[in-house]
């Protein structure tokens, strides 16, 4: 299967599983369920689920066993986007090419929608089948730590507190590690755990996820400057407009491109212990750099 077909197929598998996991749109109270589905099925790339499934495959696991964590990480990701778009946070009107959740359903409902998606992520991760090395508690803890105040939420805190300040590259790396790389890393780790991955393989994927996550955010920062709102599906030039510290703002566009290439190479090196079985993950990393994703 070529990469394009693989990505489309896996995204469809994930969408079908998410559809089965989520409450139906008409289930009462219907507004919250409609809002959850509006946000989840808005056309995201499904990068985190794809990484989860590809990591399971790279470690010799079964795709079906990795589906619950693949859906759980997407639910957590979608919650973070819904909350990030709120007026009290990034205050955005457009996400995944559509009006943001609070624009359609109102602020109160969008807050509850994010809360419900986050809670649903834990219902879903709880359905992951244990292996010899990893039990249900391990999966839940992995996801909870990433969603908590040391990672995702901590990254958002650092981001909020950094507004209007001139951050250093080191500050920026810290924010990106927590806000972006952590969930990518956990997506890979959870997939590998469903395949009963050895500690060495888990470590290799952790290092891969760290470097790939940082590369992904640098590329995202570059695209914010170079692409249109239509292409991005979210408001382009937003970072510059609010004078946010980003890679292009701190080190310039060309140096940012070089940094994305360097980080992708670091990610590739990290996969060496996995040999040929990690070919799909290498393809995904290469394509992220090109952003044909
Ligand atoms: C807890 C409110 C709260 C936030 C946590 C993760 C996060 C912090 C906020 C999300 C917003 C954001 C800009 C995160 C950076 C990572 C990033 C570039 C997300 C976009 O991911 P894509 O491109 O999105 O994979 P799609 O729509 O394709 O899923």
């Amino acid at each position: 299967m070529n990469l394009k077909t693989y990505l489309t197929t896996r995204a469809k598998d994930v969408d079908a599983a998410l559809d089965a996991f989520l409450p139906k749109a008409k289930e009462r109270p219907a507004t919250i369920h409609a809002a959850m589905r509006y946000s989840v099925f808005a056309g995201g790339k499904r990068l985190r689920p794809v990484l989860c499934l590809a990591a399971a495959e790279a470690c010799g696991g079964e795709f079906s066993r990795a589906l619950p964590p693949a859906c759980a990480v997407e639910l957590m990701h979608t919650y973070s986007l819904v909350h990030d778009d709120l007026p009290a946070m990034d205050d955005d009107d457009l996400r995944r090419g559509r009006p943001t959740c609070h624009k359609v359903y109102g602020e109160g409902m969008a807050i509850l929608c994010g809360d419900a998606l986050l809670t649903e992520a834990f219902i879903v991760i709880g359905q992951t089948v244990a292996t010899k090395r990893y039990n249900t508690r391990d999966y839940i803890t992995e996801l909870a730590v990433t969603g908590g105040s040391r990672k995702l939420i901590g990254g958002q805190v650092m981001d909020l507190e950094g507004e209007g300040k001139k951050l250093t590259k080191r500050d920026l790396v810290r924010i990106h590690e927590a806000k972006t790389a952590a969930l990518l890393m956990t997506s890979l780790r959870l997939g590998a755990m469903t395949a009963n991955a050895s500690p060495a393989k888990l470590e290799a994927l952790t290092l891969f996820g760290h470097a790939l996550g940082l590369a992904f955010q640098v590329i995202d920062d570059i695209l914010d400057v170079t692409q249109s709102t239509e292409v991005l599906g979210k408001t382009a030039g937003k970072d510059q407009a609010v004078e946010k510290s980003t890679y292009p703002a701190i080190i310039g566009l060309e140096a940012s491109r070089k940094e994305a290439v360097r980080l992708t190479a670091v990610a590739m090196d990290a996969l060496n212990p996995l040999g040929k079985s990690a070919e799909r993950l290498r393809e995904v990393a290469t394509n992220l750099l090109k952003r044909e994703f």
Side-chain angles (χ1 to χ4, degrees):
M1 213 190 296
N2 68 28
L3 181 66
K4 204 170 172 205
T5 313
Y6 177 81
L7 295 175
T8 315
T9 311
R10 289 292 177 259
K12 274 193 190 145
D13 295 332
V14 169
D15 282 2
L18 282 166
D19 185 39
F21 280 129
L22 284 168
K24 299 285 166 243
K26 286 189 179 157
E27 189 174 326
R28 284 202 280 180
T31 319
I32 184 76
H33 298 138
M36 288 161 78
R37 284 177 168 268
Y38 174 84
S39 302
V40 170
F41 298 111
K45 293 184 288 299
R46 308 300 192 219
L47 169 63
R48 294 149 193 83
V50 163
L51 289 174
C52 180
L53 297 172
E57 289 170 39
C59 296
E62 278 172 46
F63 148 83
S64 59
R65 284 183 175 237
L67 258 182
C71 291
V73 292
E74 185 66 16
L75 290 167
M76 181 176 274
H77 168 59
T78 307
Y79 127 76
S80 79
L81 298 181
V82 169
H83 278 192
D84 188 62
D85 289 333
L86 287 167
M89 301 267 175
D90 249 16
D91 193 10
D92 231 312
D93 294 353
L94 202 64
R95 170 70 67 181
R96 293 173 162 175
R98 300 212 263 175
T100 43
C101 187
H102 66 273
K103 282 281 153 191
V104 178
Y105 292 95
E107 256 182 79
M109 197 57 68
I111 292 170
L112 293 171
C113 173
D115 293 342
L117 289 171
L118 178 60
T119 310
E120 196 69 32
F122 285 96
I123 297 174
V124 173
I125 195 83
Q127 299 191 25
T128 314
V129 177
T131 65
K132 274 195 183 150
R133 288 193 179 92
Y134 310 102
N135 59 34
T136 309
R137 192 177 60 182
D138 296 324
Y139 300 127
I140 293 172
T141 306
E142 175 77 29
L143 190 66
V145 169
T146 290
S149 57
R150 293 181 179 92
K151 299 290 176 184
L152 233 67
I153 291 173
Q156 188 78 345
V157 169
M158 289 187 266
D159 209 12
L160 274 177
E161 290 183 343
E163 274 176 15
K165 290 186 192 143
K166 238 186 160 37
L167 301 183
T168 63
K169 191 178 161 202
R170 182 67 215 136
D171 296 330
L172 209 53
V173 170
R174 259 195 219 114
I175 294 175
H176 290 180
E177 276 173 342
K179 207 176 111 164
T180 309
L183 191 53
L184 266 67
M185 199 195 284
T186 277
S187 305
L188 291 152
R189 284 173 56 87
L190 285 168
M193 286 159 75
T194 66
N196 197 36
S198 65
K201 285 186 180 174
L202 203 57
E203 178 61 12
L205 287 166
T206 304
L207 296 175
F208 171 71
H210 180 257
L212 187 78
L214 291 179
F216 178 77
Q217 187 60 62
V218 176
I219 295 164
D220 199 76
D221 284 357
I222 295 171
L223 293 175
D224 183 77
V225 184
T226 58
Q227 299 293 318
S228 66
T229 297
E230 290 69 36
V231 171
L232 294 178
K234 58 182 179 180
T235 317
K238 185 90 196 296
D239 295 340
Q240 262 179 330
V242 297
E243 292 180 15
K244 197 170 177 170
S245 290
T246 62
Y247 263 84
I250 291 180
I251 63 173
L253 206 50
E254 261 327 291
S256 301
R257 288 197 173 110
K258 283 191 184 138
E259 183 64 357
V261 172
R262 186 190 72 77
L263 287 164
T264 305
V266 173
M268 294 293 195
D269 278 352
L271 289 178
N272 287 343
L274 287 159
K276 276 196 169 167
S277 63
E279 208 41 44
R280 194 61 86 188
L281 290 170
R282 291 188 188 93
E283 281 186 315
V284 172
T286 308
N287 271 268
L288 275 183
L289 192 58
K290 292 194 218 149
R291 264 299 170 97
E292 290 168 0
F293 207 57

